[in-house]
Structure formats: C-alpha cells, structure tokens
Amino acid sequence: MHDVLPEGTAGRRHPIPAAANLRETSDFSPVAARYDATRDLPPALLNAAYDRFALAGLLPRAARVLDAGCGTGQISLPLAARGHAVEGYDVSPDMVRLAQAKAGPGGHALYRVADARCLPVADAGFDVVIASKLFQHVPNWPAAVRELLRALKPGGAFIHLAERGAFSNPVRRYFAAMADGMGFTDRFPGMRRRADLIGLLAASGAAAVEVDLADLAWRKTVRYGDAWDQLRERLFAEFWCLPDAAYDQILADTADWIEAQPDGRDTIVETRPYLSADLFRKPGELDGRTN
Ligand SMILES: C[S@@+](CC[C@H](N)C(=O)[O-])C[C@H]1O[C@@H](n2cnc3c(N)ncnc32)[C@H](O)[C@@H]1O
C-alpha cells in the first residue's frame, strides 16, 4: 500500500466540511469550481430530450420552468436558450453564482439560493418543474417532491432527469467496493431508489408519461489516473460521508490497484453514459400552449 500518494497529486483537496454527514443536505459549494469540468452532458443530447418532451406536450411554449437543485445551470440554461423562463434554486451559493454568471443579466434564467424543501415561490406558478441528480442528496427528499408539486400548475410536467453511468468506470467502482467493504454502504443522505420517487409521484395522483430516450447515449473516455485524481479531489458527494482516515486508506488502495494494471494510470476505458427521465403530469388541465 502507498504511504505516499503518487507524485504531483498529494495534498490538494477541496475543503469538504467535516460535518458532511447523512443527516445534512449535500451543499456542493466545495466542488463548485470543478463541477462543470467533471460533469459533462452533451448539449445536443439534452436538447434532443427536450425536443421529445415538447412533442409529448410536457414543455409548453415559453413555459415557466423551476429547476430544483439547479447547480451551475447545466440542465436549465438550455431551456432558457429555447425561450423558456427559468428559475433555478440551489442550497449552494457558489453553484448559484456560477449559474447566474453563465446566464448573464437580462436573460431567461434567474438563479437563487434556496432549499428545494422550502422554496420561496407561490403555489401553482410553474408549467414545468425539473430536477436532475438532486433527490439522492436531500434528507427527507419527499418534502422536496411535495414542494415541487405545490409549485407546479395543475396539468404541469414533473421532469426527473439524470445521466446514468457517467461515473461508472472501474476506478470509481473499485473505490466504491472498498467503501462497501469497510461498512460505508449507505452513502447518500436522500433517495436510494428511483422506484421510491416514482411511487411517491404516482401516490400523489400524478400520471406517468413515457418518452423514449433509449438512444440518447454517448461515449466517454476515462483515463484511470484522471479518475483517481477526481477521487483525490473529493469531487463526488457519494463519498463525502467517509471519515478522512478511511477515505485516505481507500484512495491509497485504489492507487495500488491502478498501478497493478498493465497500463497503470494511463489505462483508458470507454464508458457509455445515457440520459434517463421519469416524467409525470400533475392532475388537472394545463392551458393549451404547445411548443
Ligand atoms: C449533483 S448536483 C446536480 C446539479 C444540477 N441539477 C445538474 O444536473 O447538473 C446536486 C445539486 O443539488 C444541490 N442541493 C443539495 N441539496 C439541496 C437542497 N436541499 N435544495 C436545493 N439544492 C440542493 C447541490 O448544492 C448541488 O448543486
């Protein structure tokens, strides 16, 4: 096992709060500056998904869209560019600042700091609510779902979006398996299973809408050394609950494992992330606009 991390990589670490634990919502401020560089979702595929949502009547023309857990605006800035009026909320002031900087003044997007479980918005003011990779980070996440349903007009669309498999590379899997082995099997403060969200929405009376996104997949090349560097930077909230000592041990074991591969840190794998969405319509009638 390494007692020294590989050259040029030791010591740099974002200041994840020591209190990062499963009772608190995951504020992404410590990783805000690195977020966009490490979470890459091809804009063309996202727009293709939005085209299909519009065709299914889920994105009316010039819709008012609420983006919950908006982060740096990756999901909703393309909606603003399509002429929708976006309001995004996130607990992280740093993520919101980046989103607003990208939106610029006077555009179709406004980003503010707020908790998705308690939003400063009126009842039934939005045609669409969208959440991407949020609920797993939020303790008592059903409160956020209820809050979004409150903000949604009757007949409005609830869009739960995710890119899946984007970080499912062998290095990340090795790290996760080591964490499992040390007993850290519960690593998210919020939603564990998508099925729970789907069940909650169905129980609220919302109707599921099927839109096929199966072909919206892309290729992503991952170099083991880069995947390890991202873990060293503690970029992934999934592992924030690990105490430093456990984190460092797993990191060092992972470095050993990488070095044992024939091409070591220069090993390259291709992964195939894909877009998925859970789509629901709140009971009631939306006005007749279409996109
Ligand atoms: C994985 S990021 C997703 C960001 C964005 N939706 C995207 O798809 O790129 C999760 C975001 O949720 C935010 N967040 C965590 N808990 C939250 C809460 N209770 N209310 C609002 N935002 C929250 C984090 O600060 C972070 O920006």
Side-chain angles (χ1 to χ4, degrees):
M1 178 184 299
H2 285 279
D3 47 14
V4 178
L5 299 179
E7 197 182 340
T9 58
R12 278 182 290 130
R13 168 170 291 177
H14 286 273
I16 303 301
N21 64 48
L22 298 179
R23 288 186 303 280
E24 291 179 11
T25 210
S26 299
D27 177 327
F28 272 46
S29 292
V31 297
R34 293 278 285 132
Y35 188 84
D36 281 347
T38 55
R39 273 78 162 181
D40 43 348
L41 169 56
L45 292 193
L46 185 56
N47 271 308
Y50 290 154
D51 286 345
R52 292 177 200 185
F53 300 162
L55 267 177
L58 296 170
L59 267 177
R61 190 163 30 84
R64 281 197 76 202
V65 178
L66 191 164
D67 180 6
C70 58
T72 59
Q74 278 195 357
I75 295 302
S76 51
L77 283 168
L79 289 170
R82 295 166 75 101
H84 301 298
V86 168
E87 275 179 45
Y89 294 93
D90 197 291
V91 284
S92 162
D94 290 350
M95 295 292 263
V96 166
R97 206 171 296 121
L98 288 170
Q100 198 57 59
K102 287 198 280 179
H108 286 287
L110 201 61
Y111 293 101
R112 298 200 183 100
V113 176
D115 193 307
R117 295 166 295 187
C118 181
L119 289 167
V121 301
D123 292 354
F126 290 88
D127 304 295
V128 177
V129 296
I130 187 163
S132 157
K133 297 170 288 173
L134 169 69
F135 299 120
Q136 64 266 44
H137 299 298
V138 182
N140 191 17
W141 60 272
V145 174
R146 284 191 291 273
E147 187 66 341
L148 294 179
L149 286 170
R150 177 187 71 75
L152 191 57
K153 289 180 184 171
F158 191 114
I159 300 178
H160 177 235
L161 198 64
E163 76 256 32
R164 305 204 176 270
F167 298 100
S168 178
N169 62 68
V171 174
R172 167 84 172 244
R173 281 200 297 274
Y174 184 90
F175 192 98
M178 294 289 291
D180 285 343
M182 291 174 80
F184 299 105
T185 49
D186 253 0
R187 297 193 289 264
F188 288 104
M191 185 182 84
R192 304 289 200 282
R193 299 178 326 130
R194 245 171 107 190
D196 295 338
L197 172 67
I198 293 168
L200 184 62
L201 287 166
S204 78
V209 179
E210 293 301 325
V211 173
D212 187 4
L213 304 183
D215 58 317
L216 298 185
W218 63 101
R219 294 183 196 287
K220 180 171 171 169
T221 299
V222 179
R223 184 181 159 270
Y224 279 18
D226 297 335
W228 188 87
D229 285 344
Q230 293 182 357
L231 287 162
R232 174 186 45 79
E233 290 181 79
R234 279 192 108 140
L235 291 183
F236 304 111
E238 176 184 358
F239 302 120
W240 288 354
C241 65
L242 268 61
D244 283 352
Y247 200 98
D248 287 345
Q249 184 184 330
I250 296 175
L251 201 56
D253 286 349
T254 307
D256 282 345
W257 178 80
I258 290 173
E259 279 182 14
Q261 308 308 306
D263 291 324
R265 286 173 60 86
D266 288 326
T267 307
I268 304 279
V269 281
E270 194 176 79
T271 63
R272 195 146 170 79
Y274 60 97
L275 262 182
S276 85
D278 305 305
L279 303 165
F280 281 83
R281 196 186 279 289
K282 183 173 169 175
E285 286 297 311
L286 196 63
D287 56 41
R289 290 169 296 150
T290 53
N291 194 353

